[in-house]
Amino acid sequence: MNINQLILRNLKKNLKNYFLYVFALVFSVALYFAFVTLQYDPAMTEAKGTIKGAAAIRTASILLVAIVSIFLLYANNIFIKRRSKEIGLFQLIGMTKGRIFRILSAENFILYFGSLMIGIFLGFSVSRLILMILFNITGVDAVASLHFSSEAFVQTMIVFIVIYLFIILMNYLFIKRQSILALFRVISSTEGKVKKLSMFQNFIGILGLVLIATGYYVSSKLFGGDFTTMPALFAAMTGILGSVIIGTYLFYKGSVSFIFQLIRKRKDGYLSINEVMSLSSIMFRMKSNAMLLTIITTVSALAIGLLSLCYISYYSVDKTAQNNVAADFAFITEGDATTFETALDNAGIDFHEKRIEVIQVSANLKPILERNLEGMMVDPADMPMSVISDRSVKNVDAAPGETIFTGYSDLLQKFMTLKDSGTIEFKGLQQVIPLKYSGLEKEFVISWYYTAGGSPTAIVDDAVFQRLKQDLDPKVQQKSSLFIGINLKNEQQLEKANKIFSSLHFSSDHGNDSRLDLIKEQKKNMGLAMFIVGFLGLTFLITSGCILYFKQMGESEEEKPNYTILRKLGFTQGDLLRGIQGKQLFSFGIPLAVGLAHGYFAVQSGWFLFGAEVWTPMLVVMLLYAALYSIFGVLSVAYYKKVINEAL
């Protein structure tokens, strides 16, 4: 048999084990080529004026290269070790290491560059679809066309050729350094097994759980007022990161074995075949893969957290715009409002107007604060605040000597928690008016221009409002004291009205706002971030899932003699398969569950900085991630089933 026949025979023999590796490689190449194509696409050049698309895509492509490079090198390391016995047999029959290296390099060349060409073709095919998705998410009004970029092709070839050279170098060093005896022992030496847990290992297991719990607890208090200075906040964040990452490593190194050991003790050592094949195997295999599982879990949590926060911002765009602009169009001067209303009349667009007179006072809110505002550079005893009359707001009637707050965000609530009731003071130029605080409403009735950095608006009885108006302190007043909100009677005419708003020149640009413009701007920014994080997260999910699948393939081949013995002892295929299903539930489920838990606490600690809605976007991201991740567990069970069938 000549060397070409040997290469083809080995390639055909091993191709069934490489199919998921090939899929992941093709997927990675396609995604990278599509990303780089976006970077050079003329349509993206047109969109540069509205979003920094090219720069963002370029940064994403660099991160994508890092993820793909690590995956391909690690996957190659797994497969070269799995073929160690085959390499040893080649040496036993007289082949030199150089010839073996050439055979493996030729196989790798055909597999790698074949996948590379397929990936580039698929990346080109879907590039228009990806561009359409990007434009749809960001709201960019541009035409997406199918465009083949020679610059993207050259850049993709250079990147993946460099990765291939590193793979070849890794294979060369592996073959050169291993003796024949070592090649036959590589697989067995990579998975260490321990029969009994020592006291130190039990301590590590408990410490891992304590560190993770500590990180979760501190994250829940991060913006609760316990860390009021920037150094303290930075130290807390660093501590959370270190505690959770180290705790995760110790969790895989000792906590899993410690927990399963407790389960075994409760059963007095009497385990069913399902428990033997799941618990006992997982106890000791996770220890040897602790570093890999820690990296996968940490990056999974990062992907889940970032994507959840991006989606929270994107999902909350409409609500955030309503909070900032309390009408379809908001104005702070009567002249600008009249100009816009005249243009609407000429265009035949019906609308209704609301006017709210707004004054500013210094308020003493200290009696109703749950805690002091340390570190916020705000004096709660002398806080600027907007005040309006109850006559300006429908369905609100403030009694004399009473005030109701409205326009209170989740972000502000984290830093300035108010009591249910109490007495506050409004300070004018000459007099101080004490008022009873009687509750809080979340509705925003005036725009951001008047809310003094996000503070709530006070609604008071009209008589009190007139007293405050006669005693204004000029130092705390805004340039405008009139909010004019214009709402259309027919929302279908909003786009037309918004074009009119954009075409007019107003005396004041600061404070005149279109809610639709704000929504579009936020969707462009957050849509692009969500698009990039989503694709990077999907790439990592595919690559990490493949790595876990490859590990399970290796373990199944290693445990094949055990299945043969169990089948001879009378256990059915169903008995073994149920044990395998339990094992895969733990093998894939534990890293997934820990990653989801890390992501959940990360999101909960600071979601209010990104939007107004949390549960729906966070659950959508987590459920989608879990569903895609579970596919690899199902594939792993299917592979084990094939191994069990071959056990006799």
Short mmCIF file of all heavy atoms in Angstrom, two decimals, residues 460-489:
data_model
loop_
_atom_site.label_atom_id
_atom_site.label_comp_id
_atom_site.label_asym_id
_atom_site.label_seq_id
_atom_site.Cartn_x
_atom_site.Cartn_y
_atom_site.Cartn_z
N VAL A 460 -47.77 68.72 43.56
CA VAL A 460 -48.30 69.36 44.77
C VAL A 460 -49.64 70.02 44.45
O VAL A 460 -50.01 70.20 43.28
CB VAL A 460 -47.32 70.41 45.33
CG1 VAL A 460 -45.99 69.76 45.72
CG2 VAL A 460 -47.07 71.53 44.30
N ASP A 461 -50.36 70.37 45.49
CA ASP A 461 -51.61 71.11 45.33
C ASP A 461 -51.32 72.44 44.63
O ASP A 461 -50.25 73.04 44.81
CB ASP A 461 -52.23 71.34 46.70
CG ASP A 461 -53.53 72.10 46.61
OD1 ASP A 461 -54.53 71.52 46.14
OD2 ASP A 461 -53.53 73.29 46.99
N ASP A 462 -52.29 72.90 43.83
CA ASP A 462 -52.05 74.11 43.03
C ASP A 462 -51.75 75.32 43.91
O ASP A 462 -50.94 76.18 43.54
CB ASP A 462 -53.27 74.39 42.15
CG ASP A 462 -53.02 75.53 41.19
OD1 ASP A 462 -52.13 75.39 40.33
OD2 ASP A 462 -53.70 76.57 41.31
N ALA A 463 -52.38 75.40 45.10
CA ALA A 463 -52.11 76.54 46.00
C ALA A 463 -50.66 76.52 46.46
O ALA A 463 -49.99 77.57 46.53
CB ALA A 463 -53.06 76.49 47.20
N VAL A 464 -50.15 75.35 46.78
CA VAL A 464 -48.75 75.22 47.18
C VAL A 464 -47.84 75.57 46.01
O VAL A 464 -46.80 76.24 46.16
CB VAL A 464 -48.46 73.80 47.69
CG1 VAL A 464 -46.98 73.63 48.01
CG2 VAL A 464 -49.32 73.48 48.91
N PHE A 465 -48.22 75.12 44.81
CA PHE A 465 -47.43 75.40 43.63
C PHE A 465 -47.31 76.91 43.40
O PHE A 465 -46.23 77.42 43.06
CB PHE A 465 -48.06 74.72 42.41
CG PHE A 465 -47.32 74.93 41.13
CD1 PHE A 465 -46.19 74.18 40.83
CD2 PHE A 465 -47.74 75.90 40.21
CE1 PHE A 465 -45.50 74.39 39.64
CE2 PHE A 465 -47.05 76.11 39.03
CZ PHE A 465 -45.93 75.34 38.75
N GLN A 466 -48.43 77.63 43.58
CA GLN A 466 -48.41 79.08 43.38
C GLN A 466 -47.52 79.76 44.42
O GLN A 466 -46.83 80.74 44.11
CB GLN A 466 -49.83 79.65 43.45
CG GLN A 466 -50.75 79.14 42.34
CD GLN A 466 -50.22 79.43 40.94
OE1 GLN A 466 -49.58 80.47 40.71
NE2 GLN A 466 -50.47 78.52 40.01
N ARG A 467 -47.53 79.26 45.67
CA ARG A 467 -46.64 79.81 46.70
C ARG A 467 -45.18 79.63 46.32
O ARG A 467 -44.36 80.55 46.44
CB ARG A 467 -46.91 79.13 48.04
CG ARG A 467 -48.20 79.55 48.73
CD ARG A 467 -48.37 78.80 50.04
NE ARG A 467 -47.25 79.08 50.95
CZ ARG A 467 -47.03 78.39 52.07
NH1 ARG A 467 -47.84 77.38 52.41
NH2 ARG A 467 -46.02 78.70 52.85
N LEU A 468 -44.86 78.43 45.85
CA LEU A 468 -43.48 78.16 45.43
C LEU A 468 -43.10 79.01 44.22
O LEU A 468 -41.96 79.48 44.10
CB LEU A 468 -43.30 76.67 45.12
CG LEU A 468 -43.37 75.70 46.31
CD1 LEU A 468 -43.44 74.26 45.82
CD2 LEU A 468 -42.15 75.89 47.22
N LYS A 469 -44.04 79.21 43.33
CA LYS A 469 -43.78 79.99 42.12
C LYS A 469 -43.48 81.45 42.43
O LYS A 469 -42.68 82.09 41.75
CB LYS A 469 -45.00 79.87 41.19
CG LYS A 469 -44.83 80.54 39.84
CD LYS A 469 -46.07 80.34 38.98
CE LYS A 469 -45.95 81.09 37.67
NZ LYS A 469 -47.16 80.93 36.82
N GLN A 470 -44.11 81.97 43.50
CA GLN A 470 -43.87 83.35 43.90
C GLN A 470 -42.57 83.53 44.67
O GLN A 470 -42.16 84.66 44.94
CB GLN A 470 -45.05 83.83 44.78
CG GLN A 470 -46.38 83.85 44.06
CD GLN A 470 -46.38 84.77 42.85
OE1 GLN A 470 -45.81 85.87 42.89
NE2 GLN A 470 -47.02 84.31 41.77
N ASP A 471 -41.93 82.40 45.03
CA ASP A 471 -40.72 82.47 45.87
C ASP A 471 -39.58 81.68 45.22
O ASP A 471 -38.86 80.94 45.88
CB ASP A 471 -41.05 81.92 47.27
CG ASP A 471 -39.92 82.19 48.27
OD1 ASP A 471 -39.29 83.26 48.19
OD2 ASP A 471 -39.67 81.30 49.11
N LEU A 472 -39.43 81.83 43.92
CA LEU A 472 -38.44 81.04 43.19
C LEU A 472 -37.01 81.47 43.51
O LEU A 472 -36.72 82.66 43.64
CB LEU A 472 -38.67 81.18 41.69
CG LEU A 472 -39.94 80.54 41.12
CD1 LEU A 472 -40.02 80.80 39.61
CD2 LEU A 472 -39.95 79.04 41.39
N ASP A 473 -36.14 80.50 43.62
CA ASP A 473 -34.71 80.76 43.75
C ASP A 473 -34.11 80.70 42.35
O ASP A 473 -34.06 79.62 41.73
CB ASP A 473 -34.06 79.70 44.66
CG ASP A 473 -32.58 79.98 44.90
OD1 ASP A 473 -32.04 80.90 44.24
OD2 ASP A 473 -31.98 79.27 45.72
N PRO A 474 -33.66 81.82 41.80
CA PRO A 474 -33.17 81.83 40.40
C PRO A 474 -31.95 80.93 40.18
O PRO A 474 -31.68 80.53 39.05
CB PRO A 474 -32.85 83.30 40.16
CG PRO A 474 -32.68 83.91 41.52
CD PRO A 474 -33.57 83.15 42.44
N LYS A 475 -31.23 80.61 41.23
CA LYS A 475 -30.01 79.81 41.07
C LYS A 475 -30.30 78.37 40.65
O LYS A 475 -29.44 77.72 40.05
CB LYS A 475 -29.22 79.80 42.38
CG LYS A 475 -28.67 81.16 42.78
CD LYS A 475 -27.88 81.06 44.08
CE LYS A 475 -27.33 82.42 44.51
NZ LYS A 475 -26.60 82.33 45.80
N VAL A 476 -31.48 77.86 40.97
CA VAL A 476 -31.77 76.45 40.68
C VAL A 476 -32.73 76.27 39.50
O VAL A 476 -33.12 75.15 39.17
CB VAL A 476 -32.36 75.74 41.92
CG1 VAL A 476 -31.38 75.75 43.06
CG2 VAL A 476 -33.70 76.37 42.34
N GLN A 477 -33.13 77.38 38.83
CA GLN A 477 -34.10 77.27 37.76
C GLN A 477 -33.45 76.85 36.43
O GLN A 477 -32.30 77.20 36.14
CB GLN A 477 -34.83 78.61 37.57
CG GLN A 477 -35.57 79.11 38.80
CD GLN A 477 -36.52 78.07 39.36
OE1 GLN A 477 -37.38 77.55 38.64
NE2 GLN A 477 -36.38 77.77 40.64
N GLN A 478 -34.21 76.07 35.65
CA GLN A 478 -33.81 75.77 34.27
C GLN A 478 -34.08 76.99 33.40
O GLN A 478 -34.83 77.89 33.78
CB GLN A 478 -34.63 74.57 33.75
CG GLN A 478 -34.39 73.27 34.50
CD GLN A 478 -33.17 72.54 33.99
OE1 GLN A 478 -32.31 73.12 33.31
NE2 GLN A 478 -33.06 71.27 34.34
N LYS A 479 -33.50 77.02 32.19
CA LYS A 479 -33.74 78.14 31.28
C LYS A 479 -35.20 78.19 30.87
O LYS A 479 -35.74 79.27 30.63
CB LYS A 479 -32.85 78.00 30.04
CG LYS A 479 -31.37 78.24 30.32
CD LYS A 479 -30.56 78.16 29.04
CE LYS A 479 -29.08 78.44 29.32
NZ LYS A 479 -28.27 78.36 28.08
N SER A 480 -35.82 77.03 30.77
CA SER A 480 -37.23 76.98 30.40
C SER A 480 -38.05 76.45 31.57
O SER A 480 -37.61 75.56 32.30
CB SER A 480 -37.43 76.06 29.19
OG SER A 480 -38.81 75.84 28.94
N SER A 481 -39.24 76.99 31.75
CA SER A 481 -40.13 76.53 32.82
C SER A 481 -41.44 76.00 32.25
O SER A 481 -42.43 75.90 32.96
CB SER A 481 -40.42 77.68 33.79
OG SER A 481 -41.07 78.75 33.10
N LEU A 482 -41.43 75.63 30.95
CA LEU A 482 -42.66 75.15 30.32
C LEU A 482 -42.37 73.89 29.50
O LEU A 482 -41.54 73.90 28.59
CB LEU A 482 -43.24 76.24 29.40
CG LEU A 482 -44.53 75.87 28.67
CD1 LEU A 482 -45.67 75.66 29.67
CD2 LEU A 482 -44.89 76.95 27.65
N PHE A 483 -43.04 72.81 29.86
CA PHE A 483 -42.96 71.57 29.07
C PHE A 483 -44.17 71.52 28.15
O PHE A 483 -45.32 71.64 28.59
CB PHE A 483 -42.95 70.34 29.98
CG PHE A 483 -43.22 69.05 29.24
CD1 PHE A 483 -42.23 68.48 28.45
CD2 PHE A 483 -44.46 68.43 29.33
CE1 PHE A 483 -42.48 67.30 27.75
CE2 PHE A 483 -44.71 67.25 28.64
CZ PHE A 483 -43.71 66.69 27.85
N ILE A 484 -43.91 71.35 26.86
CA ILE A 484 -44.98 71.24 25.86
C ILE A 484 -44.86 69.87 25.20
O ILE A 484 -43.86 69.58 24.53
CB ILE A 484 -44.90 72.35 24.80
CG1 ILE A 484 -44.93 73.73 25.48
CG2 ILE A 484 -46.04 72.22 23.79
CD1 ILE A 484 -44.72 74.88 24.52
N GLY A 485 -45.86 69.04 25.39
CA GLY A 485 -45.87 67.72 24.79
C GLY A 485 -46.91 67.65 23.69
O GLY A 485 -48.05 68.09 23.85
N ILE A 486 -46.52 67.08 22.55
CA ILE A 486 -47.42 66.94 21.40
C ILE A 486 -47.57 65.46 21.08
O ILE A 486 -46.59 64.77 20.77
CB ILE A 486 -46.90 67.71 20.18
CG1 ILE A 486 -46.83 69.21 20.49
CG2 ILE A 486 -47.75 67.44 18.95
CD1 ILE A 486 -46.20 70.04 19.40
N ASN A 487 -48.78 64.95 21.16
CA ASN A 487 -49.09 63.57 20.83
C ASN A 487 -50.00 63.52 19.61
O ASN A 487 -50.97 64.30 19.52
CB ASN A 487 -49.79 62.87 22.00
CG ASN A 487 -48.84 62.60 23.15
OD1 ASN A 487 -47.82 61.94 22.99
ND2 ASN A 487 -49.17 63.13 24.32
N LEU A 488 -49.70 62.63 18.67
CA LEU A 488 -50.53 62.50 17.48
C LEU A 488 -51.79 61.70 17.79
O LEU A 488 -51.76 60.75 18.57
CB LEU A 488 -49.74 61.81 16.36
CG LEU A 488 -48.41 62.45 15.94
CD1 LEU A 488 -47.87 61.76 14.69
CD2 LEU A 488 -48.57 63.94 15.69
N LYS A 489 -52.87 62.07 17.14
CA LYS A 489 -54.12 61.32 17.31
C LYS A 489 -54.09 60.01 16.53
O LYS A 489 -54.73 59.03 16.91
CB LYS A 489 -55.30 62.18 16.85
CG LYS A 489 -55.54 63.40 17.75
CD LYS A 489 -56.75 64.19 17.29
CE LYS A 489 -56.99 65.39 18.21
NZ LYS A 489 -58.18 66.19 17.78
#
